[in-house]
Each structure stands twice: as structure tokens, then as C-alpha cells.
Amino acid sequence: MVGFLKSLFRPKVKKAVSVQPFGSYFEVCGSETLLEAALMNDVPFPHNCTVGTCGACKCRLISGQVKAITDFGYTLSKQEIEAGFILACQAVPLDEETRLEVVSSGIDAPPPEKYTGKVAEARSLTHDIMLVEIALDRPLKYVAGQYANVEYSGLSRARSYSFADAPDINGRSRVSFMIRKVPGGEFTEALHAGALEGKELSIDAPHGDFYLRTSVAPMVCIAGGSGLAPLLSILEDARKKRVERPCTVLFGARTSADLYALDQLDNISKGWRGSFHFIPVLSHEPEDSDWNGARGLVTSFISDALEKEPGEGAEFYMCGPPGMIDSAIEIASREGIALENIHYDKFTDQSTQAPKS
Ligand code: FES
């Protein structure tokens, strides 16, 4: 008992953390995460979800060891972890001194703000994906590929969805998202049942550093399921801006009934400056259907995509479930694509959340 009381009054060991390029220094107490301590000390550390799913707090561990609260591999790629990247919101320092480096994504986006909105239109794209248009209280500016956090009173936590439209230079008063129904998902079940019509939503945006880098290198875009939304936004924006570079889009779906936005892709293709190839790949299409296209896993067609766009330095842009992204990064790396040329947005839902360790 005496030992226990003493332990309550024993000064907690503080661990020193320095952050480049800010040149900031702060101390972490007890089981605080690096992000918690940084924010407590007014260090402008990039962050968003704070629960290890968005990747916004990704930074490089230069020295020191950390304990991961959840597996970094859920959000970061194996290659990033090998290169020393961690998630500050999920890392507790173990050593007395830790050095971190925050690597700027270079995105030129306005800072996030809160908007209010209402569902203006919702229509089914497939049996489980809806296109949802939200009318906002004022125009919202974002960079193609970014996302918004959406919530309403009574919802246990905000949900993140990528903007599906190309941005407008003056901001968009209506924004749209492609939202997949998650079985048992509080938000998506209500949405698909029409229960959110007329309800006031709170939108916190823009967020994310998934965007088209300035380059003339061939692009390989890979989408899985509802992951087509940010890629459509990027591609439509690039088409409008008359970007000229070769592009191949791989779109993975289970069956032909799960393909959507084909007209939009066709329009992008027709207006694209440079070669444009679209390869839909079906993983569970019945053998006896009249589908003549590619079958199997979308990642199995990466070599085909690279053959269509020969030349050094292809850039990858991918959005989809964690398993697809991890596998695509592995294959792209084997094909010689440098890690800095692989950009991705892993989407998450309750079915893919990492367990706390
Ligand atoms: S803030 Fe750390 S992963 Fe989102």
C-alpha cells in the first residue's frame, strides 16, 4: 500500500522529443502519444483522425524507439515502415530522447473549416454504393483527391469520404461523395435507408494529402470498390486543366454489376490529352457471364498497366481497401517504382479497423 501511494507521488519520467523541420522541442509524460504531447505544447503537428486511420500524422523516426498503440501497418505501407515512418497519434516514446521529422506533402490546400449541409440528392450507383450530393451553407474549396469528415448530432464519430467531383476555383456549394453501405454501419445504413434526408450535417474539410503531383510521368491509377471517387476527382480536374500525360486506370470490382461511373470515365478518356487506358478487372464475375474483360485481382494487372505506359518513373495513384493498397505497393516496388512515386489513400470502415494492441 505504501509503495502504491509512493508511486502516485513519484515524479513521472519525461521524455524529450524534437521535431524537424519546425525545430520544436517538447516533453512527453507517462503514456501520452507523441501527437498528444505535441499538440499540448502548441507544436503544429499535422493530424486529423487521431485514431491511426488517416495517416495525416505520419512522420519519420530519426532516433529513439516508440511503442505502437495500434499496428502502423494498418495505415502505412510495409515500405514506409521499413523507411522509418510512424504514426505520431499511435506512438508512445520509449527512450529519453526522440527525434522526428515531419515530411511536408507539398499540398497547396486551404485550411480545414466547418461547414453545415444537407443531403440534396442521393442515388444508387450499384447495389451498395450511393452517390450522395450535399448542399453546403457556403462554397468549399479543396484540392482534387482530398476528403471531408462528415457527421451529425447523435452519430458516435465522424466518417471520412473523398470528394468525387473536380474542385471549382471558386469553391463548390454542392459536394458529392460515393458512399458504400457498410453492414451494421451507423452512418451508411441510415443514409441508404433515406433517414438522413433533410438532416443537418456537419462537414469538416478539406483534409488529406492525396493529390496529383506536377509531372509529365505516366500515371497508373488503381481503384478498388468505392475508392474510385478521389481518382475521378483527380482525373476530371486534370482533364479540365489540360494536363498532358499518359494514364492507365485499373478499376477492381467483384462483378460487372459492381462497376459504376463508366460514363464519367469515358468522358474523361475522350477529353484526355495523351494516351488513356481503362482496364476494369472483375474478381467474382460468374464464369458463364458474357464478360470478356479482365478477371482476377486488380493488382495482377499492374504489369500490364506498366507495359501500356513504358518509360521510367511512372507515378501510382491508388485508393481502395488496405489489402489492395498493400499488395499494389509491393508489386509496384518490385517493378522498380520508387516509394516517393507511389501515392495512396487507404479507406477504412468498421470492417477493416485495426484492433488496439
Ligand atoms: S491523425 Fe494519426 S493517423 Fe490520423
Side-chain angles (χ1 to χ4, degrees):
M1 183 66 178
V2 175
F4 170 71
L5 286 174
K6 272 187 180 169
S7 73
L8 288 180
F9 295 101
R10 191 179 297 143
K12 286 188 182 136
V13 180
K14 291 188 174 177
K15 294 162 192 137
V17 180
S18 60
V19 189
Q20 298 306 331
F22 311 142
S24 325
Y25 166 91
F26 60 90
E27 290 179 333
V28 181
C29 294
S31 59
E32 281 175 348
T33 65
L34 290 165
L35 180 67
E36 282 167 347
L39 298 181
M40 209 110 65
N41 287 279
D42 296 326
V43 174
F45 211 102
H47 67 286
N48 180 21
C49 71
T50 74
V51 293
T53 58
C54 74
C57 65
K58 179 173 84 178
C59 55
R60 202 162 64 83
L61 186 62
I62 301 171
S63 66
Q65 285 186 296
V66 297
K67 174 178 170 253
I69 301 174
T70 59
D71 185 356
F72 300 145
Y74 179 62
T75 300
L76 302 181
S77 68
K78 187 169 136 257
Q79 291 77 4
E80 284 174 318
I81 293 170
E82 282 169 2
F85 286 95
I86 61 168
L87 295 173
C89 73
Q90 299 301 301
V92 175
L94 297 175
D95 293 332
E96 280 180 19
E97 280 187 25
T98 304
R99 287 170 59 222
L100 302 175
E101 181 189 22
V102 172
V103 184
S104 164
S105 70
I107 194 166
D108 185 17
E113 288 179 33
K114 296 259 190 213
Y115 299 77
T116 55
K118 284 190 179 159
V119 175
E121 203 185 324
R123 66 182 167 87
S124 295
L125 297 174
T126 69
H127 71 103
D128 67 349
I129 297 177
M130 284 187 108
L131 179 72
V132 180
E133 211 171 293
I134 295 177
L136 300 171
D137 57 341
R138 64 192 192 281
L140 189 162
K141 292 184 184 178
Y142 60 90
V143 172
Q146 286 195 292
Y147 67 89
N149 293 329
V150 182
E151 64 183 326
Y152 56 85
S153 68
L155 189 68
S156 58
R157 61 174 178 82
R159 305 299 197 266
S160 303
Y161 298 107
S162 297
F163 296 106
D165 294 310
D168 188 292
I169 195 163
N170 299 312
R172 294 189 75 98
S173 300
R174 280 188 175 218
V175 290
S176 51
F177 306 104
M178 289 168 172
I179 301 182
R180 189 174 76 85
K181 184 175 181 178
V182 178
E186 195 184 359
F187 181 78
T188 60
E189 292 253 344
L191 181 69
H192 281 250
L196 297 187
E197 269 161 38
K199 200 166 182 88
E200 188 158 288
L201 303 171
S202 165
I203 318 286
D204 173 23
H207 290 284
D209 58 7
F210 184 62
Y211 70 100
L212 185 65
R213 272 62 177 176
T214 305
S215 167
V216 291
M219 297 164 63
V220 175
C221 301
I222 308 176
S226 57
L228 193 58
L231 292 171
L232 282 175
S233 175
I234 284 176
L235 291 168
E236 176 59 15
D237 189 46
R239 185 196 65 76
K240 280 173 34 183
K241 290 176 174 159
R242 303 168 73 81
V243 166
E244 187 167 357
R245 51 194 293 194
C247 180
T248 297
V249 177
L250 292 170
F251 180 18
R254 286 175 61 81
T255 68
S256 53
D258 297 306
L259 294 172
Y260 59 92
L262 300 182
D263 288 351
Q264 246 173 297
L265 280 163
D266 192 42
N267 283 339
I268 291 169
S269 159
K270 285 180 181 144
W272 192 259
R273 292 166 71 89
S275 62
F276 191 98
H277 303 281
F278 172 53
I279 309 176
V281 184
L282 304 182
S283 59
H284 290 75
E285 179 70 1
E287 285 301 327
D288 57 357
S289 83
D290 52 9
W291 174 254
N292 292 319
R295 290 172 182 263
L297 292 177
V298 68
T299 48
S300 306
F301 291 84
I302 288 177
S303 313
D304 293 32
L306 286 170
E307 270 169 29
K308 288 195 186 304
E309 311 299 357
E312 295 288 301
E315 274 189 346
F316 275 58
Y317 292 89
M318 311 187 283
C319 183
M324 183 204 89
I325 301 282
D326 290 342
S327 162
I329 294 174
E330 187 93 44
I331 295 167
S333 302
R334 270 206 312 268
E335 295 277 355
I337 306 298
L339 196 53
E340 60 265 29
N341 289 335
I342 302 176
H343 311 288
Y344 64 88
D345 193 1
K346 281 185 189 179
F347 62 62
T348 56
D349 55 43
Q350 289 102 322
S351 63
T352 55
Q353 298 264 305
K356 298 270 178 197
S357 61

